[in-house]
Structures are given as structure tokens and as C-alpha cells.
Amino acid sequence: MSKSEKPNCDTRMTVTVQGREVAMQFTEKPNPQVALQVKQALIGNYLAVSSK
């Protein structure tokens, strides 16, 4: 299989958030614990910012 025929299986995504580069690394299998931790962190940050 040539390189152009390979499916895109990149597990890393880089985005810019408020001028800062953030890299996210994904795995083959989902991990519900990590998803819950991310959700709680996002909600906690939102509540902290909105209560100011």
C-alpha cells in the first residue's frame, strides 16, 4: 500500500486556545475515566470563570 492509500490514523491533534498551542493525544480504546475527568475539569473551570 502506498503512503497516499493509507488511512489517516493520526492520534494527535493540535489546536490553539487563546493564543496557546494545546496538543491532545488519543488512544485506540476509549477510557471512560479520562472522559469523566475532562468533563469535570471543563465544568469546574466554567463555573470558576462564571462566578467572578
Side-chain angles (χ1 to χ4, degrees), residues 15-36:
V15 296
T16 303
V17 179
Q18 294 183 346
R20 295 179 186 214
E21 194 171 278
V22 178
M24 294 182 274
Q25 184 78 30
F26 300 93
T27 63
E28 295 288 326
K29 294 196 239 177
N31 184 337
Q33 280 299 101
V34 172
L36 182 60

Side-chain angles (χ1 to χ4, degrees), residues 3-52:
K3 190 173 186 176
S4 63
E5 293 174 3
K6 285 185 182 178
N8 186 1
C9 296
D10 192 11
T11 60
R12 185 178 175 111
M13 180 170 75
T14 305
V15 296
T16 303
V17 179
Q18 294 183 346
R20 295 179 186 214
E21 194 171 278
V22 178
M24 294 182 274
Q25 184 78 30
F26 300 93
T27 63
E28 295 288 326
K29 294 196 239 177
N31 184 337
Q33 280 299 101
V34 172
L36 182 60
Q37 289 173 347
V38 170
K39 179 181 174 182
Q40 290 172 338
L42 291 171
I43 291 172
N45 192 6
Y46 172 77
L47 292 173
V49 169
S50 66
S51 67
K52 289 182 179 182

